[in-house]
Amino acid sequence: MNKTILITGGAGFIGSHVVREFVKKYADYHIINLDALTYAGNLENLKDIEHLPNYTFVKADITDQALITSIFKKYQPDGIIHLAAESHVDRSISDPTAFVMTNVIGTVNLLNAAREIWKDDMTGKRFHHVSTDEVFGALGASGFFTEDTKYDPHSPYSASKASSDHFVRAYHDTYGLPIVLTNCSNNYGPNHFPEKLIPLCIHNILNNKPLPVYGDGKYTRDWLFVIDHARAIDLVFHQGKNGDSYNIGGFNEWQNIDLIKELCAQMDRKLDRPAGTSAKLITFVKDRPGHDLRYAIDATKINKELGWKPSVTFEEGLSLTIDWFLTNQEWLNNVTSGDYQSYYNNQYKGA
Ligand code: NAD
Ligand code: TYD
C-alpha cells in the first residue's frame, strides 16, 4: 500500500462519505476508519465498501489517549482526517461537557499521537482537521465568512470546535505539525442522522408528525450536499497548503421556513400526496437558546486555489436525499428506535 490514512468518525454522516470516497478512489491507500460508534456512528453506512481489501475498521474512543497512541503506533498512518465529534448544537446545550471531552480533549489526544509517531520525520505527513463555519459566530442580513473572519462561537458545540481549531493551529506553530483545516457549512444528504433539521423533517413527514420550526423560522443556513464536502476534503487533504484553512460552502442560503416548505413540496410530489399536505405539519416551537441568525460561506479560496465547486444544485441534492431516505426506510427506522425516542421526547416536549 502506498499510504495509510486514518479517518476518525468514519461511521458518522460526513465521515462515511469521506471513507467511501477514499476507499473507492485510492485502491493503493490503506484506509483505517477509527470510530467509537456513539449514537451517531453506524457501520450500516459503510456496508457497500466494508469488504474491500484496503479498508479496516477500528473501534476506539478518541478521549482515550493511551489507546489512541497505541493504534497510531500499530498502523503508523501517514495522514489523519479528523471528523469524529459530538456534532449536534441542541445536544451541546443540554450536555456541554461531552463536547469538551470529544471535540477538545479528543482532538488534542490525536494531535499528541500524531506528533509522537511523526517526531523524527514529518515529510509527507498531514493532519487534516474537519471543522465548521459555526466557529465564526453569526452574520447579520449581509456578508460572508472568509478564512480571515474572527472566531466568535456562541454555542457549546461551536465553542468546542473553535477550541479544537486553535489547538490544531497551535500544534503547527509550536511543534511544526503539518496541518490543514476546513470549515464547512451545513451538510445534507444520505445517512444524515435524523436529529438534524432536514432528515428530522423527512422522518416526521413520513410519520405524519409535526415539523418543529424554532422561533420564527427566519434563521438562515448555507446548505451543501455531503458528497461535495467529501470531494472538497479529498482536494484539501492532497493539495491544500500546509498550515492553511479553507472555507467550504454551497453558495446556497435558505431561511429554515422556506427550506422546509420546499422539502414539503418535494415530499408531497414523491409520495403522491395532494400539494400542501406535508406543509400542514409545520409547527412553530420554542426557539433554541443563543440561536445564530445566519451562516454564509465565501468559498472563493478553495474555488480559486483548488478548482472546487459544488457539483449538484440544491434542488437536485435535495431530491437525491429524499429518494435515498424513501428507499432506506429500514435505516431510518433502525436509527430512530431505542435512544432516539427519549432524546426526541425530551427535546420536543409539547411540540
Ligand atoms: P456525526 O455526529 O454524524 O458523526 C460523528 C461520528 O464521530 C460518529 O460516527 C461517532 O460515532 C464518532 N464519534 C463521536 N465521538 C467519538 C469519540 N469520542 N471517539 C471516536 N469517535 C467518536 O457528525 P457529522 O455531521 O458527520 O460531522 C462530522 C464532522 O464534520 C464533525 O467534526 C463536525 O463538527 C463537522 N462538520 C459537520 C457539519 C454538518 O453539517 N453535519 C458541517 C461542518 C462540519
Ligand atoms: P441543525 O440541522 O441542527 O444544524 P445547525 O444548528 O448546526 O445549523 O439546524 C439547522 C437550522 O434549523 C438551525 O437554524 C436550527 C433549525 N432547526 C429547527 O428549526 N428545528 C429543528 O427541529 C432543528 C433540529 C433545527
Side-chain angles (χ1 to χ4, degrees):
M1 294 279 175
N2 183 338
K3 266 187 184 176
T4 298
I5 311 294
L6 187 145
I7 300 176
T8 72
F13 166 47
I14 302 170
S16 61
H17 289 280
V18 175
V19 166
R20 180 176 296 98
E21 178 84 9
F22 274 70
V23 167
K24 286 184 136 177
K25 189 166 169 187
Y26 302 107
D28 57 338
Y29 287 8
H30 180 196
I31 304 300
I32 297 159
N33 171 14
L34 184 155
D35 198 296
L37 300 182
T38 68
Y39 78 92
N42 186 352
L43 290 176
E44 280 279 292
N45 295 349
L46 291 163
K47 63 177 185 308
D48 57 319
I49 58 108
E50 67 187 1
H51 62 282
L52 293 173
N54 63 335
Y55 171 75
T56 302
F57 173 70
V58 178
K59 184 171 187 296
D61 190 324
I62 61 168
T63 65
D64 185 339
Q65 177 76 82
L67 179 62
I68 293 304
T69 304
S70 72
I71 292 167
F72 275 46
K73 284 191 172 150
K74 176 174 176 192
Y75 290 102
Q76 296 287 327
D78 305 289
I80 317 296
I81 305 178
H82 174 36
L83 296 105
E86 289 291 340
S87 69
H88 190 38
V89 174
D90 293 326
R91 287 186 192 254
S92 82
I93 294 167
S94 25
D95 182 12
T97 307
F99 286 68
V100 178
M101 292 312 293
T102 288
N103 298 0
V104 185
I105 307 288
T107 300
V108 173
N109 287 344
L110 293 166
L111 290 165
N112 286 337
R115 210 185 134 215
E116 171 66 22
I117 58 160
W118 296 341
K119 61 178 182 292
D120 295 329
D121 186 9
M122 300 212 184
T123 323
K125 308 293 191 269
R126 173 147 281 188
F127 189 110
H128 182 153
H129 180 58
V130 177
S131 193
T132 166
D133 60 355
E134 305 194 22
V135 297
F136 299 121
L139 292 163
S142 62
F144 294 91
F145 298 133
T146 72
E147 287 77 4
D148 297 324
T149 301
K150 202 164 147 290
Y151 277 33
D152 182 23
H154 298 140
S155 72
Y157 165 64
S158 54
S160 67
K161 291 296 290 187
S163 172
S164 66
D165 290 14
H166 291 319
F167 272 105
V168 173
R169 288 200 181 91
Y171 272 59
H172 175 70
D173 296 346
T174 310
Y175 308 114
L177 200 78
I179 60 119
V180 279
L181 277 104
T182 43
N183 294 85
C184 189
S185 64
N186 286 63
N187 286 215
Y188 70 96
N191 308 97
H192 204 179
F193 194 79
E195 63 188 353
K196 308 277 170 60
L197 181 69
I198 291 179
L200 184 139
C201 287
I202 293 174
H203 180 240
N204 285 10
I205 290 170
L206 287 171
N207 291 285
N208 273 311
K209 286 174 68 176
L211 308 180
V213 180
Y214 294 162
D216 61 5
K218 299 260 169 72
Y219 296 91
T220 301
R221 298 292 181 261
D222 170 359
W223 293 92
L224 178 69
F225 191 55
V226 64
I227 292 169
D228 281 327
H229 187 188
R231 286 176 44 245
I233 288 173
D234 178 15
L235 273 177
V236 174
F237 177 75
H238 285 100
Q239 296 173 39
K241 196 163 148 265
N242 182 23
D244 267 22
S245 67
Y246 293 81
N247 282 2
I248 307 168
F251 303 99
N252 176 43
E253 287 184 51
W254 286 79
Q255 285 194 347
N256 293 338
I257 187 67
D258 295 334
L259 177 128
I260 293 170
K261 285 180 180 161
E262 170 67 21
L263 177 67
C264 287
Q266 283 211 25
M267 290 287 284
D268 284 345
R269 285 198 294 276
K270 287 180 192 283
L271 292 169
D272 255 338
R273 293 177 176 172
T277 306
S278 300
K280 289 199 188 107
L281 298 169
I282 291 174
T283 308
F284 290 90
V285 300
K286 195 157 97 26
D287 210 346
R288 170 187 281 174
H291 199 164
D292 286 334
L293 178 66
R294 176 172 165 260
Y295 304 141
I297 282 277
D298 177 349
T300 306
K301 178 176 173 180
I302 188 170
N303 175 256
K304 288 248 159 67
E305 286 189 17
L306 305 179
W308 175 89
K309 61 177 189 332
S311 68
V312 293
T313 65
F314 186 62
E315 287 68 21
E316 287 164 346
L318 192 61
S319 174
L320 285 168
T321 302
I322 298 170
D323 289 346
W324 185 87
F325 278 97
L326 292 179
T327 48
N328 290 276
Q329 291 193 43
E330 202 184 324
W331 181 95
L332 200 49
N333 293 337
N334 287 345
V335 301
T336 51
S337 60
D339 283 355
Y340 180 83
Q341 289 308 328
S342 51
Y343 165 77
Y344 192 92
N345 293 339
N346 194 39
Q347 178 65 24
Y348 298 99
K349 282 192 270 281

